[in-house]
Amino acid sequence: MAKKERTPEEASRDQATITLLTQATEEGIETSFSRADSMAACPIGSDGYCCKVCGMGPCRLVKEGQTGICGATRETVAARNFARMVAAGAAAHSDHGRDLAYTLLAAAEGHAPDYSIKDPAKLREMAGYLDVAVDGKTTEELAKDVALAALGEFGKVEGKIKYLDRAPPKRQEIWKKLGIEPRNVDREIVEIMHRTHIGNDQDAEHILDHAMRAALGDGWGGSMMATDLSDVLFGTPAPVISEANLGVLKDDEVNIIIHGHEPTLSEMIVAAAQDPEMIKYAKSKGAEGITMAGICCTANETLMRQGVPLAGNFLQQELAILTGAVEAMVVDIQCIMQGVVKLAENYHTELITTSPKAKITGATHMEFDEHRAMEIAKEIVRKAVDRYPERKKTRIPEDKAELIPGFSHEYIRYALGGTHRGSFRPLNDAIISGRIRGVVANIGCNNARVCHDHLHQHVVTEFLKNDVLVVETGCGAIASAKQGYMTPEAAFEAAGPGLREVCEAVGMPPVLHMGSCVDNSRILTVLAEMATETGLGEDISDIPAVGMAPEWMSEKAISIGTYCVASGAYVIMGHKSPVSGVEVVDRMISDGWESKVGGRMEFINDPEEIVRRSLAHIDKKRAALGLPEYDPTKWGQSGDARMEQLIELPLEERIEAAYGNKAE
Ligand code: MSK
């Protein structure tokens, strides 16, 4: 059934997006926004009771009590569908981690000469987690052993994933008691596929317990290793200055968009684009230089380490091409819409696929090989430059905002206590005193079925007003970056009095950009450190914190949500539950999971309700810890805040206000 077409203002809250959607509508160009308007979601599939795991179906269990041909109940079907989403999401993250381990191995063995160990301290830290002996080894020898140990975690024969030891001891006990400690990364994913095959696990609760086990293998295994390996190879992020939104594209330069998730090739392309030989080549074609910008999580990876600007988030990938100013869109893995190929046919843009795992019909495939990384990167840059003379009319929106990303957990620890006394103590103290009411991790995608960026923007604005520190990754982080919430100055405008004081003291933005989708593992690390720092209980489930993905759409987001719940967090997913038609299963992942692991998953589409429930949860956790009730009237008189008020006054009044006597 065709739906009503939304106006650009109804489809997005982002001005650059609205401008380009208006143009697309005028020119009759199709985008994911218009496709979402012209095609309603299948109600049976979206409610979770379509079963297509065998050739007798698909069975559509539309009536209460109806079963599939094999007799499978709606509960079994919904739980199987949910678990398969977790398997796909966990596989995507973890396979990304595995490839990074192979890159590290190749670099250590001297087969990938364009890569080096950028953070040897982190390499040694990884060695500690993986029980790899450090003494007497060169960096390369250690890197080889760490890479092999990391690869072993994907398919080890016995035991459990070693990184689970990074969780608070109380949490590890819960996993052990429930029997959901992941044995290795791959096994739990494979086992989901086995269990959900026709005629196997047919107890919804039992299937969902295993979904938690596989998701934990993602969060505390594949994703966490992916983050660490990226830091070892490309450097652990620290603050840099950059910009976000389509206004970062340049009218007089070759624009190359990098899109997807892996930093391995994109880091090389960024380096290649700065090569004087490449810049000279661009000038020979009439351009002033080469601009790199990113979409989705490849963007977040190169932003965090190199400050490469963000062109936009998931729903802006087609719009970047619509500017007419993009010579090449270079994609690797995950979240790449097939629609970009057809759209690019209207422009001079070359769409280049690079991963052996992700070819797209109609795109130019230039397969990446880490053994000759820079050579391929330069070929790609040259190809983009060759397109520049074919550029026609451009319409680059003016919108862009400054940001300071780069908040790895290592940097946060350092920012809070310095090199020798770095710790999460000041953060815990700020929460204990009530300056910071609690923490929200706002992560995840955009979804063409909900107004682009609206839920992200709304909830983050409200949390800041309520003195809640917001940490972000993925496309949610890009939404806040575009909104201007990622500069220290944003605290003056947007934060409540207590949070503002903390931001002033530390010099940090009220919303911290912590990286890409796999970097949600950084958030797990922060939570684990907060739980063991004392003062906020002994477990992640004790902390006044909430996780959310208000505009989720990918299976990876379901895996992330599930591992956060299994780690003890209250998680709110926006949009719609993939098991909304089967109340029993919806209750299993909320009340049921809460009674087992202390975390719960809820799906809420109303932004006001997301905020209300989050604050209620934070306040409930504060009360359980015996912390003072949140009272914003106690804060806001710090030196900087007073300076800002006083600076507006004439000099005599300033002196009187500051010292209580008039100027002589
Ligand atoms: S890119 S998984 S749309 S966050 Fe990581 Fe964005 Fe979601 Fe893809």
Side-chain angles (χ1 to χ4, degrees):
M1 185 180 53
K3 297 195 321 181
K4 176 187 160 284
E5 197 170 319
R6 294 167 293 178
T7 63
E9 290 77 10
E10 287 167 336
S12 177
R13 285 288 179 277
D14 171 68
Q15 189 49 52
T17 301
I18 292 170
T19 305
L20 288 160
L21 281 181
T22 306
Q23 175 203 320
T25 312
E26 280 165 13
E27 295 176 10
I29 292 176
E30 191 184 284
T31 64
S32 54
F33 293 86
S34 62
R35 287 192 291 272
D37 288 344
S38 65
M39 179 178 57
C42 165
I44 301 159
S46 72
D47 280 352
Y49 42 72
C50 173
C51 181
K52 50 186 181 68
V53 302
C54 85
M56 297 189 288
C59 293
R60 299 146 24 113
L61 312 186
V62 289
K63 284 192 230 124
E64 200 62 57
Q66 197 176 4
T67 67
I69 290 174
C70 69
T73 62
R74 282 159 58 116
E75 289 74 31
T76 297
V77 168
R80 283 200 298 223
N81 289 339
F82 187 94
R84 283 191 168 207
M85 292 181 90
V86 170
H93 281 149
S94 301
D95 208 32
H96 169 167
R98 186 197 331 263
D99 282 347
L100 285 159
Y102 276 118
T103 304
L104 180 63
L105 183 62
E109 290 179 331
H111 304 315
D114 299 321
Y115 297 95
S116 59
I117 313 302
K118 292 263 169 59
D119 191 340
K122 187 124 189 189
L123 178 69
R124 287 192 293 278
E125 192 187 326
M126 269 195 92
Y129 298 136
L130 293 168
D131 292 335
V132 173
V134 176
D135 288 349
K137 289 179 186 163
T138 64
T139 301
E140 285 67 32
E141 284 164 351
L142 183 61
K144 182 178 173 180
D145 290 350
V146 165
L148 290 171
L151 287 166
E153 293 297 292
F154 288 86
K156 68 208 281 188
V157 179
E158 52 187 21
K160 61 177 174 61
I161 292 174
K162 286 194 195 301
Y163 266 40
L164 296 182
D165 293 344
R166 294 174 68 174
K170 203 169 160 191
R171 182 57 29 192
Q172 294 181 45
E173 268 311 302
I174 292 171
W175 295 335
K176 198 171 181 180
K177 237 191 232 149
L178 275 174
I180 59 168
E181 287 175 310
R183 293 156 291 187
N184 67 48
V185 177
D186 292 349
R187 180 170 181 180
E188 312 307 354
I189 296 167
V190 169
E191 196 170 305
I192 285 188
M193 299 312 287
H194 181 192
R195 285 184 189 225
T196 58
H197 183 275
I198 167 85
N200 216 0
D201 202 351
Q202 287 160 94
D203 178 279
E205 191 182 339
H206 197 237
I207 294 168
L208 292 169
D209 283 351
H210 187 72
M212 283 198 281
R213 191 177 200 176
L216 286 169
D218 171 1
W220 295 87
S223 280
M224 204 170 269
M225 286 192 285
T227 297
D228 284 356
L229 290 160
S230 299
D231 289 351
V232 167
L233 280 164
F234 307 113
T236 300
V240 283
I241 297 176
S242 191
E243 292 178 321
N245 217 340
L246 288 161
V248 303
L249 300 178
K250 300 223 173 79
D251 235 334
D252 54 359
E253 296 199 1
V254 172
N255 291 304
I256 303 176
I257 298 270
I258 40 179
H259 171 23
H261 281 76
E262 284 180 342
T264 328
L265 171 61
S266 50
E267 284 277 343
M268 288 297 137
I269 298 179
V270 171
Q274 291 164 1
D275 187 311
E277 178 203 338
M278 290 293 123
I279 294 170
K280 195 171 157 204
Y281 187 56
K283 290 191 171 169
S284 76
K285 300 282 176 179
E288 289 297 314
I290 303 171
T291 289
M292 299 291 307
I295 298 268
C296 280
C297 285
T298 297
N300 287 323
E301 295 277 357
T302 49
L303 168 84
M304 289 281 281
R305 298 188 180 87
Q306 315 289 350
V308 172
L310 300 167
N313 46 11
F314 175 69
L315 282 179
Q316 289 178 286
Q317 57 188 284
E318 292 172 308
L319 308 180
I321 295 173
L322 262 163
T323 63
V326 173
E327 276 56 53
M329 180 176 275
V330 187
V331 303
D332 48 72
I333 50 160
Q334 302 167 18
C335 301
I336 301 137
M337 294 188 193
Q338 192 164 355
V340 287
V341 177
K342 191 163 164 230
L343 194 84
E345 284 168 7
N346 299 304
Y347 300 89
H348 73 304
T349 311
E350 178 109 33
L351 191 83
I352 303 173
T353 52
T354 58
S355 168
K357 296 171 199 167
K359 260 189 163 185
I360 305 179
T361 309
T364 304
H365 191 67
M366 297 176 73
E367 196 155 303
F368 176 59
D369 174 1
E370 67 226 4
H371 302 99
R372 37 183 214 98
M374 184 51 85
E375 185 191 328
I376 296 171
K378 283 188 179 173
E379 269 173 42
I380 288 173
V381 171
R382 231 176 259 119
K383 207 166 199 40
V385 171
D386 287 339
R387 286 289 175 127
Y388 184 77
E390 294 170 42
R391 192 192 274 190
K392 298 197 175 71
K393 188 173 164 233
T394 61
R395 319 130 172 121
I396 301 173
E398 285 176 2
D399 313 82
K400 61 179 175 179
E402 272 197 352
L403 78 149
I404 299 187
F407 287 87
S408 55
H409 51 269
E410 287 88 346
Y411 184 78
I412 298 174
R413 197 189 292 121
Y414 163 77
L416 293 173
T419 306
H420 302 296
R421 302 209 317 205
S423 87
F424 283 84
R425 187 74 254 155
L427 177 58
N428 280 23
D429 286 343
I431 294 172
I432 291 166
S433 68
R435 269 193 177 82
I436 292 180
R437 186 174 183 174
V439 179
V440 159
N442 178 57
I443 63 130
C445 326
N446 300 134
N447 186 320
R449 297 212 176 273
V450 303
C451 178
H452 170 234
D453 285 353
H454 169 54
L455 292 172
H456 287 303
Q457 292 192 357
H458 182 92
V459 299
V460 173
T461 303
E462 291 305 311
F463 289 135
L464 296 185
K465 274 192 225 160
N466 279 281
D467 291 302
V468 172
L469 175 69
V470 179
V471 297
E472 296 194 318
T473 61
C475 291
I478 301 176
S480 286
K482 291 184 292 176
Q483 206 177 354
Y485 280 162
M486 289 184 169
T487 62
E489 301 77 49
F492 288 108
E493 300 269 303
L499 175 62
R500 175 180 161 151
E501 279 190 2
V502 175
C503 292
E504 284 168 10
V506 183
M508 70 181 193
V511 180
L512 303 181
H513 194 318
M514 293 190 71
S516 65
C517 305
V518 294
D519 291 337
N520 285 307
S521 65
R522 295 192 203 277
I523 298 176
L524 290 180
T525 306
V526 169
L527 290 171
E529 297 215 18
M530 286 169 75
T532 42
E533 182 60 50
T534 72
L536 293 178
E538 298 176 312
D539 188 13
I540 291 171
S541 60
D542 298 330
I543 299 171
V546 182
M548 62 190 57
E551 299 182 24
W552 79 275
M553 64 86 203
S554 76
E555 291 162 313
K556 288 184 295 169
I558 293 292
S559 179
I560 295 165
T562 302
Y563 72 62
C564 288
V565 171
S567 301
Y570 174 34
V571 172
I572 300 177
M573 309 289 282
H575 180 42
K576 187 173 190 280
S577 163
V579 293
S580 59
V582 187
E583 211 195 317
V584 177
V585 174
D586 238 351
R587 268 207 314 274
M588 280 177 189
I589 60 175
S590 50
D591 299 345
W593 277 356
E594 187 166 18
S595 66
K596 284 175 191 230
V597 292
R600 60 188 284 126
M601 183 181 283
E602 291 175 0
F603 289 81
I604 305 166
N605 198 21
D606 173 7
E608 306 282 352
E609 187 61 9
I610 294 176
V611 173
R612 195 190 65 72
R613 286 203 212 179
S614 301
L615 295 178
H617 177 82
I618 285 170
D619 290 345
K620 188 176 89 184
K621 291 291 172 186
R622 292 188 65 84
L625 289 165
L627 302 182
E629 231 175 84
Y630 167 66
D631 177 7
T633 62
K634 285 163 70 180
W635 317 112
Q637 289 309 307
S638 71
D640 286 359
R642 277 171 60 74
M643 276 301 291
E644 212 207 20
Q645 289 161 5
L646 295 176
I647 212 96
E648 303 292 327
L649 301 173
L651 182 64
E652 295 104 81
E653 287 180 42
R654 248 188 276 167
I655 292 170
E656 189 185 358
Y659 303 109
N661 61 320
K662 285 197 184 294
E664 293 300 314

PDB file of all heavy atoms in Angstrom, residues 47-68:
ATOM      1  N   ASP A  47       6.218  -7.315  12.436  1.00  0.00           N
ATOM      2  CA  ASP A  47       5.729  -7.684  13.768  1.00  0.00           C
ATOM      3  C   ASP A  47       6.437  -8.919  14.313  1.00  0.00           C
ATOM      4  O   ASP A  47       6.250  -9.289  15.464  1.00  0.00           O
ATOM      5  CB  ASP A  47       4.216  -7.937  13.733  1.00  0.00           C
ATOM      6  CG  ASP A  47       3.433  -6.627  13.760  1.00  0.00           C
ATOM      7  OD1 ASP A  47       4.061  -5.576  13.958  1.00  0.00           O
ATOM      8  OD2 ASP A  47       2.203  -6.664  13.577  1.00  0.00           O
ATOM      9  N   GLY A  48       7.202  -9.597  13.476  1.00  0.00           N
ATOM     10  CA  GLY A  48       8.047 -10.691  13.965  1.00  0.00           C
ATOM     11  C   GLY A  48       7.469 -12.087  13.799  1.00  0.00           C
ATOM     12  O   GLY A  48       8.070 -13.057  14.248  1.00  0.00           O
ATOM     13  N   TYR A  49       6.299 -12.245  13.160  1.00  0.00           N
ATOM     14  CA  TYR A  49       5.754 -13.599  13.088  1.00  0.00           C
ATOM     15  C   TYR A  49       5.657 -14.168  11.674  1.00  0.00           C
ATOM     16  O   TYR A  49       4.759 -14.936  11.363  1.00  0.00           O
ATOM     17  CB  TYR A  49       4.425 -13.739  13.838  1.00  0.00           C
ATOM     18  CG  TYR A  49       3.427 -12.616  13.693  1.00  0.00           C
ATOM     19  CD1 TYR A  49       2.732 -12.408  12.509  1.00  0.00           C
ATOM     20  CD2 TYR A  49       3.160 -11.786  14.781  1.00  0.00           C
ATOM     21  CE1 TYR A  49       1.803 -11.394  12.401  1.00  0.00           C
ATOM     22  CE2 TYR A  49       2.226 -10.770  14.678  1.00  0.00           C
ATOM     23  CZ  TYR A  49       1.551 -10.579  13.494  1.00  0.00           C
ATOM     24  OH  TYR A  49       0.640  -9.570  13.400  1.00  0.00           O
ATOM     25  N   CYS A  50       6.590 -13.764  10.823  1.00  0.00           N
ATOM     26  CA  CYS A  50       6.743 -14.427   9.522  1.00  0.00           C
ATOM     27  C   CYS A  50       7.891 -15.437   9.665  1.00  0.00           C
ATOM     28  O   CYS A  50       8.996 -15.067  10.035  1.00  0.00           O
ATOM     29  CB  CYS A  50       7.083 -13.400   8.449  1.00  0.00           C
ATOM     30  SG  CYS A  50       7.492 -14.162   6.870  1.00  0.00           S
ATOM     31  N   CYS A  51       7.613 -16.718   9.393  1.00  0.00           N
ATOM     32  CA  CYS A  51       8.677 -17.718   9.508  1.00  0.00           C
ATOM     33  C   CYS A  51       9.092 -18.180   8.114  1.00  0.00           C
ATOM     34  O   CYS A  51       8.274 -18.683   7.349  1.00  0.00           O
ATOM     35  CB  CYS A  51       8.193 -18.913  10.324  1.00  0.00           C
ATOM     36  SG  CYS A  51       9.499 -20.139  10.512  1.00  0.00           S
ATOM     37  N   LYS A  52      10.364 -17.993   7.793  1.00  0.00           N
ATOM     38  CA  LYS A  52      10.843 -18.457   6.485  1.00  0.00           C
ATOM     39  C   LYS A  52      12.124 -19.268   6.635  1.00  0.00           C
ATOM     40  O   LYS A  52      13.028 -19.166   5.834  1.00  0.00           O
ATOM     41  CB  LYS A  52      10.987 -17.303   5.486  1.00  0.00           C
ATOM     42  CG  LYS A  52      11.761 -16.103   5.957  1.00  0.00           C
ATOM     43  CD  LYS A  52      11.680 -15.022   4.894  1.00  0.00           C
ATOM     44  CE  LYS A  52      12.446 -13.788   5.269  1.00  0.00           C
ATOM     45  NZ  LYS A  52      13.873 -13.913   5.328  1.00  0.00           N
ATOM     46  N   VAL A  53      12.175 -20.086   7.690  1.00  0.00           N
ATOM     47  CA  VAL A  53      13.395 -20.871   7.870  1.00  0.00           C
ATOM     48  C   VAL A  53      13.353 -22.216   7.140  1.00  0.00           C
ATOM     49  O   VAL A  53      14.314 -22.965   7.201  1.00  0.00           O
ATOM     50  CB  VAL A  53      13.774 -21.093   9.367  1.00  0.00           C
ATOM     51  CG1 VAL A  53      13.960 -19.785  10.093  1.00  0.00           C
ATOM     52  CG2 VAL A  53      12.772 -21.984  10.073  1.00  0.00           C
ATOM     53  N   CYS A  54      12.254 -22.544   6.452  1.00  0.00           N
ATOM     54  CA  CYS A  54      12.276 -23.790   5.672  1.00  0.00           C
ATOM     55  C   CYS A  54      11.443 -23.633   4.401  1.00  0.00           C
ATOM     56  O   CYS A  54      10.773 -22.619   4.204  1.00  0.00           O
ATOM     57  CB  CYS A  54      11.784 -24.974   6.505  1.00  0.00           C
ATOM     58  SG  CYS A  54      10.000 -25.174   6.535  1.00  0.00           S
ATOM     59  N   GLY A  55      11.487 -24.632   3.566  1.00  0.00           N
ATOM     60  CA  GLY A  55      10.830 -24.572   2.256  1.00  0.00           C
ATOM     61  C   GLY A  55       9.338 -24.862   2.287  1.00  0.00           C
ATOM     62  O   GLY A  55       8.680 -24.836   1.243  1.00  0.00           O
ATOM     63  N   MET A  56       8.780 -25.122   3.486  1.00  0.00           N
ATOM     64  CA  MET A  56       7.320 -25.300   3.565  1.00  0.00           C
ATOM     65  C   MET A  56       6.633 -23.936   3.678  1.00  0.00           C
ATOM     66  O   MET A  56       5.426 -23.833   3.472  1.00  0.00           O
ATOM     67  CB  MET A  56       6.953 -26.176   4.767  1.00  0.00           C
ATOM     68  CG  MET A  56       7.496 -27.592   4.676  1.00  0.00           C
ATOM     69  SD  MET A  56       6.858 -28.678   5.951  1.00  0.00           S
ATOM     70  CE  MET A  56       7.682 -28.088   7.426  1.00  0.00           C
ATOM     71  N   GLY A  57       7.401 -22.944   4.096  1.00  0.00           N
ATOM     72  CA  GLY A  57       6.824 -21.612   4.300  1.00  0.00           C
ATOM     73  C   GLY A  57       7.058 -20.733   3.096  1.00  0.00           C
ATOM     74  O   GLY A  57       7.232 -21.257   1.994  1.00  0.00           O
ATOM     75  N   PRO A  58       7.127 -19.419   3.268  1.00  0.00           N
ATOM     76  CA  PRO A  58       6.983 -18.733   4.549  1.00  0.00           C
ATOM     77  C   PRO A  58       5.597 -18.926   5.181  1.00  0.00           C
ATOM     78  O   PRO A  58       4.593 -18.858   4.479  1.00  0.00           O
ATOM     79  CB  PRO A  58       7.202 -17.263   4.198  1.00  0.00           C
ATOM     80  CG  PRO A  58       7.914 -17.258   2.905  1.00  0.00           C
ATOM     81  CD  PRO A  58       7.501 -18.487   2.198  1.00  0.00           C
ATOM     82  N   CYS A  59       5.593 -19.155   6.495  1.00  0.00           N
ATOM     83  CA  CYS A  59       4.347 -19.267   7.246  1.00  0.00           C
ATOM     84  C   CYS A  59       4.051 -17.918   7.887  1.00  0.00           C
ATOM     85  O   CYS A  59       4.912 -17.359   8.567  1.00  0.00           O
ATOM     86  CB  CYS A  59       4.471 -20.349   8.311  1.00  0.00           C
ATOM     87  SG  CYS A  59       4.629 -22.004   7.627  1.00  0.00           S
ATOM     88  N   ARG A  60       2.850 -17.427   7.663  1.00  0.00           N
ATOM     89  CA  ARG A  60       2.463 -16.105   8.177  1.00  0.00           C
ATOM     90  C   ARG A  60       1.490 -16.325   9.328  1.00  0.00           C
ATOM     91  O   ARG A  60       0.318 -16.619   9.101  1.00  0.00           O
ATOM     92  CB  ARG A  60       1.822 -15.278   7.070  1.00  0.00           C
ATOM     93  CG  ARG A  60       2.749 -15.041   5.902  1.00  0.00           C
ATOM     94  CD  ARG A  60       2.065 -14.979   4.528  1.00  0.00           C
ATOM     95  NE  ARG A  60       0.680 -14.614   4.526  1.00  0.00           N
ATOM     96  CZ  ARG A  60       0.190 -13.481   4.007  1.00  0.00           C
ATOM     97  NH1 ARG A  60       0.998 -12.617   3.452  1.00  0.00           N
ATOM     98  NH2 ARG A  60      -1.091 -13.248   4.020  1.00  0.00           N
ATOM     99  N   LEU A  61       1.997 -16.161  10.565  1.00  0.00           N
ATOM    100  CA  LEU A  61       1.182 -16.531  11.731  1.00  0.00           C
ATOM    101  C   LEU A  61       0.401 -15.310  12.209  1.00  0.00           C
ATOM    102  O   LEU A  61       0.690 -14.738  13.261  1.00  0.00           O
ATOM    103  CB  LEU A  61       2.084 -17.086  12.834  1.00  0.00           C
ATOM    104  CG  LEU A  61       3.097 -18.158  12.393  1.00  0.00           C
ATOM    105  CD1 LEU A  61       3.837 -18.734  13.585  1.00  0.00           C
ATOM    106  CD2 LEU A  61       2.426 -19.272  11.619  1.00  0.00           C
ATOM    107  N   VAL A  62      -0.573 -14.909  11.416  1.00  0.00           N
ATOM    108  CA  VAL A  62      -1.246 -13.628  11.686  1.00  0.00           C
ATOM    109  C   VAL A  62      -2.263 -13.698  12.821  1.00  0.00           C
ATOM    110  O   VAL A  62      -2.632 -12.681  13.381  1.00  0.00           O
ATOM    111  CB  VAL A  62      -1.934 -13.078  10.410  1.00  0.00           C
ATOM    112  CG1 VAL A  62      -0.909 -12.599   9.413  1.00  0.00           C
ATOM    113  CG2 VAL A  62      -2.836 -14.119   9.762  1.00  0.00           C
ATOM    114  N   LYS A  63      -2.699 -14.898  13.141  1.00  0.00           N
ATOM    115  CA  LYS A  63      -3.730 -14.992  14.196  1.00  0.00           C
ATOM    116  C   LYS A  63      -3.128 -15.526  15.490  1.00  0.00           C
ATOM    117  O   LYS A  63      -2.238 -16.379  15.461  1.00  0.00           O
ATOM    118  CB  LYS A  63      -4.845 -15.933  13.732  1.00  0.00           C
ATOM    119  CG  LYS A  63      -5.756 -15.295  12.708  1.00  0.00           C
ATOM    120  CD  LYS A  63      -7.001 -16.156  12.510  1.00  0.00           C
ATOM    121  CE  LYS A  63      -7.223 -16.392  11.032  1.00  0.00           C
ATOM    122  NZ  LYS A  63      -7.310 -17.759  10.620  1.00  0.00           N
ATOM    123  N   GLU A  64      -3.649 -15.027  16.589  1.00  0.00           N
ATOM    124  CA  GLU A  64      -3.249 -15.517  17.913  1.00  0.00           C
ATOM    125  C   GLU A  64      -3.412 -17.035  17.957  1.00  0.00           C
ATOM    126  O   GLU A  64      -4.440 -17.565  17.504  1.00  0.00           O
ATOM    127  CB  GLU A  64      -4.171 -14.846  18.955  1.00  0.00           C
ATOM    128  CG  GLU A  64      -3.640 -14.840  20.378  1.00  0.00           C
ATOM    129  CD  GLU A  64      -2.347 -14.065  20.531  1.00  0.00           C
ATOM    130  OE1 GLU A  64      -2.301 -12.864  20.181  1.00  0.00           O
ATOM    131  OE2 GLU A  64      -1.381 -14.702  20.975  1.00  0.00           O
ATOM    132  N   GLY A  65      -2.427 -17.743  18.421  1.00  0.00           N
ATOM    133  CA  GLY A  65      -2.550 -19.197  18.567  1.00  0.00           C
ATOM    134  C   GLY A  65      -2.218 -19.980  17.305  1.00  0.00           C
ATOM    135  O   GLY A  65      -2.101 -21.206  17.342  1.00  0.00           O
ATOM    136  N   GLN A  66      -2.060 -19.282  16.185  1.00  0.00           N
ATOM    137  CA  GLN A  66      -1.752 -19.977  14.924  1.00  0.00           C
ATOM    138  C   GLN A  66      -0.309 -20.503  14.973  1.00  0.00           C
ATOM    139  O   GLN A  66       0.562 -19.882  15.586  1.00  0.00           O
ATOM    140  CB  GLN A  66      -1.905 -18.977  13.782  1.00  0.00           C
ATOM    141  CG  GLN A  66      -2.019 -19.604  12.416  1.00  0.00           C
ATOM    142  CD  GLN A  66      -2.277 -18.545  11.345  1.00  0.00           C
ATOM    143  OE1 GLN A  66      -2.301 -17.342  11.611  1.00  0.00           O
ATOM    144  NE2 GLN A  66      -2.462 -19.011  10.128  1.00  0.00           N
ATOM    145  N   THR A  67      -0.059 -21.626  14.322  1.00  0.00           N
ATOM    146  CA  THR A  67       1.312 -22.141  14.256  1.00  0.00           C
ATOM    147  C   THR A  67       1.726 -22.313  12.799  1.00  0.00           C
ATOM    148  O   THR A  67       0.882 -22.297  11.896  1.00  0.00           O
ATOM    149  CB  THR A  67       1.442 -23.514  14.962  1.00  0.00           C
ATOM    150  OG1 THR A  67       0.702 -24.478  14.218  1.00  0.00           O
ATOM    151  CG2 THR A  67       0.972 -23.474  16.406  1.00  0.00           C
ATOM    152  N   GLY A  68       3.019 -22.528  12.603  1.00  0.00           N
ATOM    153  CA  GLY A  68       3.509 -22.826  11.262  1.00  0.00           C
ATOM    154  C   GLY A  68       3.156 -24.261  10.884  1.00  0.00           C
ATOM    155  O   GLY A  68       2.621 -25.022  11.711  1.00  0.00           O
TER     156      GLY A  68
END
